[in-house]
Amino acid sequence: MSNINSWPILSFIPAEIAKNVIKAFVFGGAGNEAIIVVSNGDVYALGFNGNGCLGIGNGNSTLEPRKIDILCQKNLVDFAYGMGPHILTVTESGELYSWGHGGYGQLGHVEDEKTKPVLVPLQKKVVQIACGSYHSIALTQEGEIYAWGSNNCGQLGLGVGTNQQTPRKVNGQLSNYNKKVTSVACGQSFTIVLTDEGELYSWGYNGNGQLGIGNNTNQQQPAKVAGLNGKYIQKIACGMAHVLALTDTGELYSWGANSYGQLGLDTTLNTSTPTLVPTTEETARWTDIAAHHYNHISAAVLLSGKICMWGQCHGLTLLSPRQVAINSLDAVFACFGMPQIMFRFTEIDHEEPQTLKDTVKRAFDDATSSDLAFVIDGKSIHVHKALLKIRCEYFRNMLQTHWEESNMSEIEVTQFSYDVYRAFLLFLYTDKVDIGSEDAISLLHLADSYCEQRLKEICEDLIKKSVSISNVSHLLAAAIKYNASDLEEFCFRFSMNHLTAVTQTETFKQLDGDTVRDFIIKAGASGAFKR
């Protein structure tokens, strides 16, 4: 989540509206336009209204939020911004709307209305969108790609060089080999997609090697990105003319333009093939990435939670990942982006000092106010019975008046370690988990034992970030043991992507017979043993 105060344009929102903002999208050539969603589902716009990009019709710029009636109560799930400029947005039901500059067909419709949202006539449920400078891309629920707008460099992937005013399906290798696309990203004049098999295909302008195909020749149809054989890509991001790709094992690859060091390779030389980006910590791995086609910045998150950035930074050129003292990828673009635009549709966190939340957090492990202490390995953690009963059904049952524990001032815990139990109790006070990935399995065990479903979900997400070929079998067994179905499926799919390597590991050999049998049956049903 991002704090609303991170973006200058949002500071103009009146307090009575600002306190209810749940999502925001900041865009524009100077980061001076914004669309916000408030808790009741209403949608507002404010800022500069060049080319009608606020979606409120032809009119002057406004620092007073104005409602976009047609989008209210639509539950918007994604936004994309083209430098043309034009805007796309998608609703939860899969409807696609567009507005703004449409001179190259990038709005995807032929209606005269350009300054208010118009429904794009695509008879498919759209799940993700992306914009280049003057072209637009939509991903459907079926995994198909549709493209429209400027096509001077082949960025639509249609095999022709003419612009398109309405969406057309991208075929080529994607259709020939029955590829299902799961994610899409756009640079200034190129497009790249990720398939469910972890492969990448790209097309469009390639003057800086941004297509990753080993040369600098433009492509009018999808071409497979080279040099990533054996790598399963799980996320992609595009800058203006460069690409970042994150593998499921935490490796980060980059390619394309590099005049500002945006590839993170300690040089300013371009490269046309994916190249491994080093981490700032030995044995570390990356867990998330970010870039935007309006600038030359790259950003990523390490497993430790540290945020790194590189590339163009307020007149400086950062050639390799540099840790920054901020707490989210959104903040990288708020602090260092020129202009300050959001690289994604962002959830807003309202930080209010001295709130009840802060007071409760400060009370954790405070011996002066607590009425109960848990003792683990000779160390005490001071808590409050009333809060535990409010937050946790396990404690609500345990601390009833007819139970012995309700009259105790100290309770010894032997089943879990001090660090794990402390993380659990802190979660009850803060709703956040602060624990290393190595202890997350024990915390998952605790959450399962105490029937804390939300904590289980957080643990599962934390454990997913540490999955590797060497430990996935161990984590799969733990997921099965502790009824963590989401983690179990994640580990199974990871194993399918690296089946040969996983089955040769010591942790796989240590699986019990029933687990191996069920794994083989499920792998066979997934087509792993087809000739």
Side-chain angles (χ1 to χ4, degrees):
M1 290 188 176
S2 179
N3 184 268
I4 196 170
N5 297 321
S6 300
W7 309 92
I9 184 64
L10 301 184
S11 65
F12 291 100
I13 301 174
E16 63 273 15
I17 296 178
K19 67 182 180 182
N20 295 314
V21 174
I22 58 173
K23 293 183 179 180
F25 188 63
V26 175
F27 56 97
N32 57 354
E33 297 174 272
I35 294 173
I36 58 174
V37 181
V38 297
S39 55
N40 69 356
D42 285 343
V43 181
Y44 294 87
L46 72 156
F48 183 63
N49 195 29
N51 289 101
C53 275
L54 292 186
I56 56 177
N58 282 319
N60 297 327
S61 303
T62 175
L63 292 180
E64 291 293 327
R66 291 180 56 185
K67 192 177 292 187
I68 309 177
D69 292 318
I70 193 172
L71 298 181
C72 291
Q73 317 307 318
K74 290 284 188 178
N75 195 3
L76 307 181
V77 296
D78 200 7
F79 270 95
Y81 171 64
M83 288 163 39
H86 71 290
I87 298 287
L88 304 180
T89 191
V90 174
T91 70
E92 185 178 41
S93 63
E95 291 181 327
L96 173 62
Y97 291 86
S98 67
W99 63 97
H101 186 278
Y104 299 89
Q106 62 264 46
L107 298 186
H109 63 77
V110 294
E111 301 295 329
D112 292 335
E113 179 60 74
K114 300 290 191 294
T115 61
K116 292 183 180 180
V118 172
L119 187 65
V120 177
L122 179 58
Q123 304 303 314
K124 298 278 186 174
K125 181 177 181 179
V126 176
V127 295
Q128 190 187 1
I129 48 178
C131 291
S133 291
Y134 303 100
H135 75 290
S136 303
I137 302 290
L139 170 64
T140 71
Q141 189 175 38
E142 297 81 13
E144 299 171 335
I145 292 293
Y146 285 81
W148 60 97
S150 176
N151 198 29
N152 61 319
C153 301
Q155 56 265 50
L156 300 188
L158 303 175
V160 297
T162 54
N163 298 347
Q164 301 293 321
Q165 285 194 305
T166 54
R168 288 188 57 185
K169 184 179 177 181
V170 177
N171 291 304
Q173 290 194 54
L174 297 180
S175 293
N176 294 341
Y177 299 109
N178 296 316
K179 299 297 181 181
K180 181 179 180 180
V181 175
T182 58
S183 186
V184 58
C186 291
Q188 187 176 36
S189 300
F190 70 100
T191 306
I192 186 165
V193 299
L194 169 65
T195 74
D196 61 352
E197 297 174 336
E199 299 174 331
L200 299 180
Y201 290 82
S202 59
W203 56 89
Y205 182 69
N206 196 31
N208 300 287
Q210 55 263 59
L211 300 189
I213 58 176
N215 59 48
N216 293 80
T217 303
N218 295 354
Q219 299 292 315
Q220 290 192 342
Q221 289 188 321
K224 188 174 181 180
V225 174
L228 289 171
N229 292 338
K231 304 295 181 182
Y232 187 93
I233 305 301
Q234 68 174 13
K235 189 168 187 177
I236 51 176
C238 288
M240 186 175 292
H242 77 286
V243 179
L244 304 177
L246 178 65
T247 74
D248 62 348
T249 57
E251 294 177 322
L252 175 56
Y253 289 84
S254 65
W255 61 94
N258 196 31
S259 56
Y260 298 95
Q262 59 264 47
L263 299 187
L265 305 176
D266 204 29
T267 178
T268 56
L269 297 177
N270 297 353
T271 178
S272 60
T273 55
T275 305
L276 187 67
V277 178
T279 65
T280 57
E281 303 173 351
E282 290 188 12
T283 71
R285 56 186 289 176
W286 304 100
T287 62
D288 202 1
I289 55 175
H292 191 278
H293 73 267
Y294 217 111
N295 57 47
H296 307 286
I297 290 176
S298 299
V301 184
L302 287 164
L303 180 59
S304 62
K306 295 176 181 176
I307 308 289
C308 296
M309 69 150 303
W310 57 99
Q312 190 176 29
C313 176
H314 291 292
L316 301 176
T317 296
L318 302 181
L319 300 180
S320 58
R322 180 73 62 90
Q323 183 183 341
V324 288
I326 52 181
N327 59 8
S328 73
L329 288 175
D330 295 291
V332 171
F333 295 86
C335 295
F336 305 112
M338 294 298 290
Q340 292 174 291
I341 57 179
M342 289 178 173
F343 77 97
R344 61 183 171 188
F345 190 29
T346 299
E347 294 186 7
I348 296 297
D349 183 27
H350 297 275
E351 294 183 359
E352 299 178 10
Q354 305 303 317
T355 62
L356 176 62
K357 177 175 65 175
D358 299 319
T359 303
V360 172
K361 181 179 179 180
R362 287 197 301 273
F364 175 69
D365 205 13
D366 180 4
T368 64
S369 63
S370 73
D371 55 0
L372 175 64
F374 288 99
V375 181
I376 308 103
D377 300 330
K379 295 183 285 187
S380 298
I381 307 171
H382 298 89
V383 292
H384 305 77
K385 292 180 183 179
L387 187 143
L388 297 189
K389 288 192 286 186
I390 291 171
R391 287 281 287 155
C392 177
E393 185 175 359
Y394 175 87
F395 287 127
R396 192 154 52 247
N397 293 330
M398 187 183 78
L399 297 174
Q400 294 183 61
T401 55
H402 61 277
W403 284 52
E404 180 182 356
E405 287 86 351
S406 66
N407 297 315
M408 297 173 65
S409 59
E410 286 189 351
I411 299 175
E412 186 174 3
V413 176
T414 58
Q415 188 178 7
F416 302 100
S417 70
Y418 173 83
D419 289 339
V420 168
Y421 213 77
R422 180 181 176 85
F424 166 56
L425 294 173
L426 182 60
F427 165 76
L428 297 180
Y429 278 72
T430 65
D431 213 31
K432 296 181 180 179
V433 172
D434 184 12
I435 197 169
S437 57
E438 65 278 2
D439 288 323
I441 294 177
S442 296
L443 188 58
L444 177 65
H445 177 196
L446 188 155
D448 184 56
S449 300
Y450 286 18
C451 299
E452 283 292 320
Q453 185 58 37
R454 173 165 165 73
L455 180 57
K456 281 184 68 173
E457 294 170 358
I458 294 174
C459 289
E460 289 182 72
D461 288 340
L462 181 60
I463 293 169
K464 288 176 188 178
K465 296 179 180 179
S466 65
V467 171
S468 66
I469 290 173
S470 62
N471 71 11
V472 65
S473 298
H474 171 62
L475 298 178
L476 175 63
I480 295 171
K481 182 177 180 180
Y482 302 131
N483 305 302
S485 58
D486 191 43
L487 177 61
E488 179 184 349
E489 183 64 21
F490 183 90
C491 290
F492 175 76
R493 291 300 170 191
F494 183 97
S495 299
M496 291 300 96
N497 298 335
H498 308 276
L499 187 59
T500 300
V502 167
T503 55
Q504 301 303 309
T505 62
E506 286 300 316
T507 53
F508 185 84
K509 296 174 184 177
Q510 293 168 7
L511 292 176
D512 64 76
D514 288 343
T515 302
V516 172
R517 181 201 62 202
D518 293 344
F519 178 86
I520 292 174
I521 292 173
K522 189 173 181 180
S526 298
F529 307 123
K530 290 181 180 178
R531 290 187 176 183

